[in-house]
């Protein structure tokens, strides 16, 4: 037998073997062995998988006699999988699944409730940047909370959330002399039991939902608001667009069952537009009008657009562009603006999954109170400026010790994060602060120290800060137990100088000299359960 005939013989032998296997499969009552793959012209969803045995019905089988020479004519057996008794197709990989009736999906839970604790321990030292004065404090604030969500039907939803908390001053000065000469008394501390949320939502009123009552208002970065407000809110959903319209006031009603509440007199009117048509990215615009009936804050109008998101597992970003219009307390027109941009990049393939964050925030200031424009930018007054970079916990992203409002400041931020374990994170955050206009204070900061008191050395360098943030979850194997540790150091710049009174040895007159200010420290421990 020559080489050509040998190859032809081997091909005919292999083909005959395949046909015989197919014929065996097509025999009545035959069962495909485990691991056998059945090839057909159109099997659809009934293709059997490895590890299963399926009974088949024959359709057509033809076993031609092998010829000594020439091609072999064959017909492949065709069959179909049996239908389930219910008439449903057999699920791929699970032939028995259709034997059981389909379970109805639960569309709505009538009741939901939760409880927990967010207790804080806060230590602050030298908030006046002067070690000569005693103003350190250690405050313990245990808290328990609970809420219940009730849905009597698909169109109504109700929420009640309450807190029980008390602050204890483990260390605190009864009276502190501020750098401006004012005497500040320690606040009286009560046991309080406020209603943090109490609202009802009416759904499916056409394309809108309506909410009435006390409700939490929070944006992702807490740059606009992070507080509970007594409000009437209308939410409109239309495809990828969402809009919220609300009128509110903080503590319009006294809903603390134990402690007195000082009601506010500032009305808020807010419009927030949200676009979610880009995967993992959100675009938004807003207008917020605040009308202070006491006249202290005036009637500012906040306008802005924002974009933030996480386009990939490695990269996330934020962008805030804000304008301030309206009028201040003396009816001068506001004309301020601010920008806050930044991004975090993660390296999950490297040891400890490091991350790098860079950010820059800039808000205008005003150094001429006598002209026709107030160019100082101010935030809404409802914000907390808390967010995350690459780690687990939220923290003060403008600095733990200084904790300023973004106003008349340039803030450069650089951070490095690590994840030593899935339930643990570490963030090292650096800030550099610079004034846009010379000023004697940073608006609503945590410090009481004043700037630029030395007329011979006026300066815009406000200082630097270093924050160390640890986050733990499932601590000691307890699923609900978590701990956040946040330590912040503020190193004052040349804008801060401490005044000291000395006696001139020649004239005997008292005069002022200035020296470098001392650093401040803030430590916060938050226990979650």
């Amino acid at each position: 037998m020559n080489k050509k005939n040998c190859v032809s013989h081997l091909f005919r032998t292999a083909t005959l073997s395949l046909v015989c296997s197919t014929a065996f499969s097509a025999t009545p009552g035959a069962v495909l062995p485990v691991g056998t793959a059945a090839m057909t012209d159109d099997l659809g969803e009934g293709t059997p998988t490895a590890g299963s045995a399926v009974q088949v019905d024959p359709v057509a089988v033809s076993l031609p006699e092998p010829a000594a020479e020439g091609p072999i004519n064959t017909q492949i057996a065709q069959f179909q999988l049996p239908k389930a008794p219910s008439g449903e197709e057999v699920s791929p990989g699970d032939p028995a699944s259709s034997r059981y009736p389909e379970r109805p999906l639960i569309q709505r839970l009538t009741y939901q409730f939760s409880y927990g604790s967010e207790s804080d321990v806060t230590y602050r030292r030298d908030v006046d940047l002067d070690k000569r004065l005693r103003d350190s404090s250690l405050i313990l604030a245990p808290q328990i909370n609970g809420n219940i969500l009730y849905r009597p039907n698909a169109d109504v939803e109700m929420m009640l959330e309450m807190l029980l908390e008390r602050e204890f001053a483990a260390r605190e000065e009864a009276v502190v002399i501020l750098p401006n000469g004012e005497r500040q008394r320690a606040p009286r501390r009560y046991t309080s039991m406020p209603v943090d949320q109490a609202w009802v939502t009416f759904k499916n009123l056409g394309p809108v939902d309506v909410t009435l009552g006390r409700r939490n208002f929070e944006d992702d970065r807490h740059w606009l608001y992070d507080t509970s407000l007594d409000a009437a809110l209308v939410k409109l959903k239309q495809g990828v667009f969402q809009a919220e319209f609300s009128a509110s006031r903080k503590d319009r009603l006294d809903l603390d069952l134990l402690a007195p509440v000082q009601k506010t007199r500032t009305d808020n009117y807010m419009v927030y537009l949200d676009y979610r048509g880009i995967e993992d990215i959100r675009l938004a615009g807003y207008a917020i009008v605040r009308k202070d009936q006491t006249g202290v804050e005036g009637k500012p109008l906040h306008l802005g657009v924002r974009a933030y998101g996480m386009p990939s597992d490695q990269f996330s970003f934020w962008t805030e562009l804000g304008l301030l219009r309206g009028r201040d307390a003396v009816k001068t027109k506001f004309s301020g603006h601010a920008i806050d941009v930044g991004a975090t990049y993660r390296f999950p393939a490297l040891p400890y999954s490091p991350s790098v964050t860079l950010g820059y925030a800039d808000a205008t200031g005003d150094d001429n109170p006598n002209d026709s424009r107030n160019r100082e930018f101010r935030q809404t007054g409802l914000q907390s400026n808390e967010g995350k970079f690459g780690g687990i916990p939220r923290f003060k992203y403008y600095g733990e010790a200084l904790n300023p409002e973004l106003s008349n400041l340039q803030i450069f931020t650089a951070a490095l994060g690590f994840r030593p374990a899935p339930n643990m994170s570490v963030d090292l955050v650096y800030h550099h602060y610079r004034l846009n206009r010379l000023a004697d204070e940073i608006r609503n900061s945590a410090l009481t120290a004043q700037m630029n008191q030395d007329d011979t050395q006026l300066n815009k360098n406000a200082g630097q800060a270093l924050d160390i943030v640890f986050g733990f979850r499932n601590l000691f194997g307890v699923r609900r137990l978590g701990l956040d540790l946040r330590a912040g150091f503020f190193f004052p710049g040349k804008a801060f100088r401490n005044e000291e009174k000395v006696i001139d040895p020649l004239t005997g007159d008292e005069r002022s000299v200035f020296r470098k200010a001392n650093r401040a420290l803030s430590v916060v421990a938050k226990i979650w359960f």
Side-chain angles (χ1 to χ4, degrees):
M1 182 181 297
N2 58 31
K3 183 180 295 185
K4 178 179 180 180
N5 290 338
C6 180
V7 172
S8 177
H9 176 72
L10 291 174
F11 177 78
R12 289 196 300 271
T13 302
T15 305
L16 179 60
S17 176
L18 174 61
V19 171
C20 290
S21 299
T22 306
F24 174 79
S25 301
T27 305
V31 176
L32 292 177
V34 172
T36 302
M39 302 299 295
T40 68
D41 290 339
D42 185 11
L43 294 181
E45 295 183 355
T47 306
T49 59
S52 62
V54 181
Q55 187 167 340
V56 298
D57 295 327
V59 176
V61 178
S62 175
L63 294 177
E65 292 293 334
E69 297 288 343
I72 297 177
N73 297 322
T74 62
Q75 290 184 352
I76 302 299
Q78 296 180 352
F79 53 86
Q80 63 182 7
L81 296 174
K83 298 289 185 180
S86 63
E88 299 175 351
E89 293 286 343
V90 176
S91 299
D94 189 9
S97 64
S98 61
R99 294 200 300 263
Y100 302 98
E102 182 179 357
R103 288 186 177 181
L105 294 177
I106 299 177
Q107 301 293 333
R108 174 175 52 85
L109 293 175
T110 303
Y111 292 96
Q112 286 180 270
F113 71 95
S114 65
Y115 59 90
S117 172
E118 298 179 19
S119 300
D120 295 350
V121 179
T122 303
Y123 174 72
R124 299 190 67 86
R125 188 183 70 197
D126 295 330
V127 294
D128 58 359
L129 304 181
D130 193 340
K131 287 185 176 181
R132 298 172 302 168
L133 302 178
R134 299 177 58 183
D135 60 353
S136 299
S137 63
L138 177 62
I139 308 299
L140 286 67
Q143 179 212 91
I144 58 175
N145 57 70
N147 66 68
I148 183 169
L149 187 65
Y150 174 53
R151 303 181 183 91
N153 55 59
D155 298 325
V156 178
E157 189 170 278
M158 304 178 187
M159 161 72 88
L160 176 64
E161 180 176 6
M162 299 188 67
L163 312 175
L164 178 61
E165 55 189 353
R166 173 67 188 263
E167 289 188 349
F168 297 92
R171 178 179 177 181
E172 187 176 37
E173 300 297 326
V175 178
V176 174
I177 306 298
L178 300 180
N180 61 6
E182 295 181 5
R183 296 169 61 89
Q184 184 183 70
R185 293 187 175 276
R188 184 175 179 181
R189 306 186 186 278
Y190 298 90
T191 300
S192 62
M193 192 174 182
V195 175
D196 197 47
Q197 295 194 84
W199 49 258
V200 56
T201 296
F202 301 96
K203 298 184 174 182
N204 304 319
L205 300 177
V208 304
D209 298 345
V210 176
T211 300
L212 302 173
R214 178 167 294 183
R215 177 184 180 274
N216 276 344
F217 283 76
E218 296 181 359
D219 62 298
D220 282 3
R221 298 186 65 241
H222 296 177
W223 199 77
L224 294 178
Y225 33 66
D226 177 26
T227 188
S228 294
L229 299 174
D230 298 327
L233 180 144
V234 176
K235 179 182 291 187
L236 170 66
K237 294 181 180 180
Q238 197 70 34
V240 296
F241 291 95
Q242 180 173 299
E244 291 186 358
F245 309 88
S246 65
S248 63
R249 180 186 289 188
K250 186 172 178 62
D251 295 322
R252 177 183 289 274
L253 302 175
D254 184 350
L255 296 183
D256 195 315
L257 305 185
L258 298 178
V261 173
Q262 184 175 0
K263 298 181 181 181
T264 62
R265 296 184 59 191
T266 302
D267 296 320
N268 311 297
Y269 303 94
M270 299 187 287
V271 178
Y272 193 91
L273 307 177
D274 202 357
Y275 174 74
R276 306 186 183 188
I278 306 175
E279 185 177 2
D280 298 322
I281 294 178
R282 295 177 65 174
L283 308 177
Y286 58 86
I288 301 174
V289 179
R290 305 199 71 206
K291 295 184 177 181
D292 185 357
Q293 306 299 330
T294 65
V296 175
E297 295 294 333
K299 297 180 180 180
L301 167 62
H302 299 266
L303 303 170
V305 293
R306 59 199 333 206
Y308 54 94
M310 193 170 181
S312 69
D313 293 338
Q314 291 79 31
F315 180 74
S316 60
F317 74 97
W318 71 88
T319 302
E320 303 276 0
L321 301 175
L323 297 176
L324 182 61
R325 297 296 183 263
R327 295 180 181 272
D328 63 13
V330 295
K331 300 187 183 306
T332 302
K333 290 183 178 180
F334 279 116
S335 183
H337 60 269
I339 181 174
D340 185 347
V341 296
T344 298
Y345 195 86
R346 302 165 182 82
F347 301 87
L350 297 181
Y352 303 120
S353 301
S355 63
V356 176
T357 300
L358 293 176
Y360 177 73
D362 189 350
T364 56
D366 185 85
D367 55 2
N368 186 359
N370 299 319
D371 63 3
S372 61
R373 296 279 179 176
N374 185 344
R375 294 173 175 80
E376 179 187 48
F377 179 84
R378 302 175 183 177
Q379 291 185 258
T380 62
L382 304 172
Q383 78 286 339
S384 65
N385 292 335
E386 290 185 331
K388 301 179 182 180
F389 288 167
I392 296 173
R394 288 183 175 273
F395 58 92
K396 302 292 187 180
Y397 50 71
Y398 289 151
E400 286 287 331
L402 184 61
N403 188 21
E405 178 178 338
L406 184 58
S407 177
N408 191 29
L409 272 179
Q410 300 174 28
I411 307 175
F412 170 74
T413 300
L416 186 62
F418 300 94
R419 297 295 291 266
N423 66 328
M424 176 185 176
S425 68
V426 182
D427 287 287
L428 305 176
V429 188
Y430 167 81
H431 304 283
H432 185 274
Y433 307 98
R434 183 174 178 82
L435 300 176
N436 275 317
R437 294 288 186 269
L438 290 173
D440 59 4
E441 65 177 1
I442 296 177
R443 181 178 172 83
N444 289 334
S445 79
L447 301 181
T448 60
Q450 290 188 308
M451 298 181 296
N452 292 312
Q453 300 301 296
D454 184 357
D455 293 337
T456 64
Q457 296 191 33
L458 301 179
N459 204 289
K460 294 182 179 180
N461 180 10
Q464 304 173 74
L466 177 64
D467 297 337
I468 306 173
V469 183
F470 295 89
F472 304 87
R473 295 296 181 267
N474 303 325
L475 199 60
F476 308 121
V478 180
R479 179 175 175 271
R480 297 185 55 183
L481 184 60
L483 174 64
D484 298 343
L485 293 174
R486 302 162 8 204
F489 300 88
F490 176 72
F491 306 91
K494 293 182 179 180
F496 289 98
R497 291 177 63 80
N498 289 336
E499 183 180 11
E500 186 175 353
K501 301 292 185 179
V502 297
I503 303 297
D504 191 313
L506 298 178
T507 65
D509 296 333
E510 185 181 69
R511 61 186 179 90
S512 294
V513 296
F514 291 87
R515 60 180 178 82
K516 184 179 179 181
N518 302 118
R519 70 182 182 186
L521 170 66
S522 171
V523 179
V524 177
K526 181 183 286 288
I527 302 171
W528 301 81
F529 183 76

